[in-house]
Amino acid sequence: MAGILDLSLSFVAEVVAFVLMILILGRWVYPRVIAAAEARQRQIAERLLAAERSREEAEGRLKQAEERLREARGQAAEIIEGASRSGEQLRAELRARAEEETRRLIDNARRDIEAERQKAIDSVRAEVADLVVAATEKVVGETLDDQRHRRLIEEAIAQVGNQGANGRGRG
């Protein structure tokens, strides 16, 4: 019987040691392991929440950036359109100024031509008058007084003017 007892005592000792080890582990080790596991689990959950918040913030920033980009493109299109309109308006104004300047130059040239033409006519009349006076003095053989002199000049100019007009009408 001693063999059975030895076996039983060693078995009881092993069971007691096992229970004691379970109690020690349950009392001091397992709570620390569970607390560390729970802390790790909370830490992971917090990191997951932080990552989710960061992702949402990044998406929000991306949407804001896309909206700003759309606004910037719209503003750029408006600026380009405005510049195009301003360019067209400036071209139209410059064209109108150039046309006005051209008209003014043409009008000035016509006035200058008319003035020169009138000077030439006056010069021809003066020469004709001088020639008429000289011819009259030679024909009449005497010097005319101022009043008769003027009347003869006017008559001669009128005749020359009529002959010129008749000559132009024929051609």
Side-chain angles (χ1 to χ4, degrees):
M1 287 253 216
I4 293 180
L5 226 80
D6 281 337
L7 189 55
S8 307
L9 281 177
S10 82
F11 178 70
V12 172
E14 288 176 6
V15 169
V16 170
F18 180 72
V19 170
L20 232 113
M21 188 174 72
I22 297 269
L23 289 175
I24 291 173
L25 287 175
R27 175 80 179 143
W28 288 288
V29 176
Y30 285 133
R32 289 187 180 168
V33 170
I34 289 174
E38 287 175 352
R40 178 75 176 145
Q41 188 177 10
R42 277 192 306 273
Q43 202 175 37
I44 289 171
E46 288 171 0
R47 287 185 181 167
L48 284 173
L49 285 173
E52 181 65 24
R53 281 193 299 267
S54 294
R55 184 187 62 79
E56 289 172 358
E57 287 176 9
E59 286 177 355
R61 288 186 194 135
L62 179 63
K63 287 179 183 176
Q64 288 176 349
E66 288 172 348
E67 182 62 30
R68 286 188 201 137
L69 182 61
R70 272 193 297 274
E71 289 174 3
R73 285 181 178 158
Q75 288 175 352
E78 288 176 10
I79 289 170
I80 290 170
E81 183 180 333
S84 178
R85 280 193 309 261
S86 295
E88 288 297 324
Q89 187 177 17
L90 182 61
R91 272 192 287 266
E93 287 175 8
L94 290 175
R95 186 176 297 124
R97 284 184 199 164
E99 289 172 358
E100 180 62 30
E101 182 67 16
T102 302
R103 279 193 293 273
R104 189 182 61 76
L105 290 173
I106 289 171
D107 290 344
N108 286 344
R110 284 183 180 151
R111 279 193 296 270
D112 290 346
I113 290 169
E114 185 60 31
E116 289 298 320
R117 183 177 156 274
Q118 192 60 43
K119 282 182 188 177
I121 288 172
D122 292 344
S123 173
V124 168
R125 282 185 178 170
E127 285 181 32
V128 168
D130 289 343
L131 289 174
V132 168
V133 167
T136 305
E137 285 179 353
K138 283 185 182 180
V139 170
V140 174
E142 63 184 66
T143 304
L144 301 173
D145 65 349
D146 194 39
Q147 188 178 16
R148 281 185 75 193
H149 181 76
R150 295 262 179 226
R151 187 175 51 80
L152 284 174
I153 290 173
E154 293 297 325
E155 288 174 6
I157 290 174
Q159 287 176 355
V160 170
N162 288 337
Q163 287 176 356
N166 292 338
R168 274 188 238 140
R170 289 182 203 150

